[in-house]
Amino acid sequence: MADDKKIDEEKTKDFSKRTNQLIALTALILAICATFSSLYAGANASKGILAQSQASDGWAYYQAKSIKEELYKMQLESLEVDPPDNVDTMKLEVLKQKYKQTINRYDGEQIDIRKEANQKEADRDHFLELNRGFAGALTYLQIAILLVSLAGLMKQIGFWYAGMAIGAFGIFNFVQAMMMV
């Protein structure tokens, strides 16, 4: 029992006030980085979800245009295959031309809509990749904070070193994700 007290006293002496301050400072720095990492992860997840929603809306709009174009194609084909008997041929030709113009317009609009929807999907992928980077950094930073806190509570310098090493890896991941922004 006396030996245990002696060991505890030696640990306390070795674990100076300066070491405690450095541990607290390390925990503070890691917590700040974790906070920013968490904010960026959440923001990019939200942006990714929004981009996915916009892409889905774009594809729905594309599909609506495609359906309308097909309806005009069917009506044009019907007029060409079985023209009505009681309609002036000039009026019929004008109507066919309007249908062809409408079909061409829908075709052109679909190209733009497809391009925009594809861009939104690319944006979604980018934002979700950023989210993964920041979330990974956050995980390492939280583990590091836990280890650094444990070092202060248990007066074990090894936990502090382990926390700093894992924290450095978390900060590295955070900086890497920031460079992708």
Side-chain angles (χ1 to χ4, degrees):
M1 189 78 160
D3 288 339
D4 288 343
K5 268 190 172 182
K6 212 178 217 185
I7 292 171
D8 285 344
E9 287 175 13
E10 286 177 24
K11 279 186 189 176
T12 306
K13 285 180 187 175
D14 290 341
F15 214 79
S16 69
K17 183 177 178 181
R18 178 80 175 138
T19 305
N20 256 343
Q21 290 172 338
L22 290 173
I23 287 174
L25 182 62
T26 303
L28 175 68
I29 291 167
L30 292 171
I32 290 169
C33 291
T35 300
F36 282 112
S37 194
S38 175
L39 290 172
Y40 279 110
N44 284 293
S46 296
K47 289 176 184 178
I49 291 168
L50 178 61
Q52 174 58 49
S53 177
Q54 291 171 336
S56 294
D57 289 349
W59 287 118
Y61 188 48
Y62 176 88
Q63 194 172 22
K65 292 288 186 175
S66 180
I67 290 169
K68 287 180 179 183
E69 179 184 14
E70 284 303 313
L71 288 173
Y72 275 99
K73 283 180 180 178
M74 287 172 29
Q75 290 173 340
L76 179 61
E77 188 177 311
S78 175
L79 287 176
E80 289 174 343
V81 172
D82 187 24
D85 294 333
N86 58 352
V87 177
D88 181 20
T89 55
M90 284 301 270
K91 286 184 181 179
L92 190 58
E93 284 304 314
V94 168
L95 185 58
K96 285 181 187 180
Q97 283 299 4
K98 282 185 180 181
Y99 284 175
K100 287 177 184 176
Q101 288 172 350
T102 302
I103 290 167
N104 290 335
R105 181 175 53 93
Y106 282 139
D107 206 29
E109 288 173 355
Q110 285 174 331
I111 292 169
D112 294 337
I113 295 167
R114 183 183 321 120
K115 189 187 300 182
E116 189 174 326
N118 284 331
Q119 180 59 50
K120 292 298 178 184
E121 287 177 338
D123 291 348
R124 172 208 58 206
D125 294 344
H126 175 69
F127 290 131
L128 294 181
E129 183 64 28
L130 285 173
N131 170 263
R132 278 190 289 277
F134 287 119
L138 177 61
T139 301
Y140 289 113
L141 289 166
Q142 288 174 333
I143 292 169
I145 291 168
L146 174 83
L147 289 172
V148 168
S149 299
L150 195 58
L153 289 173
M154 308 249 337
K155 308 277 190 227
Q156 294 286 325
I157 202 90
F159 287 123
W160 183 41
Y161 291 138
M164 286 193 305
I166 293 172
F169 189 66
I171 291 170
F172 173 76
N173 283 321
F174 176 77
V175 169
Q176 233 181 354
M178 284 298 292
M179 289 171 45
M180 290 174 41
V181 174

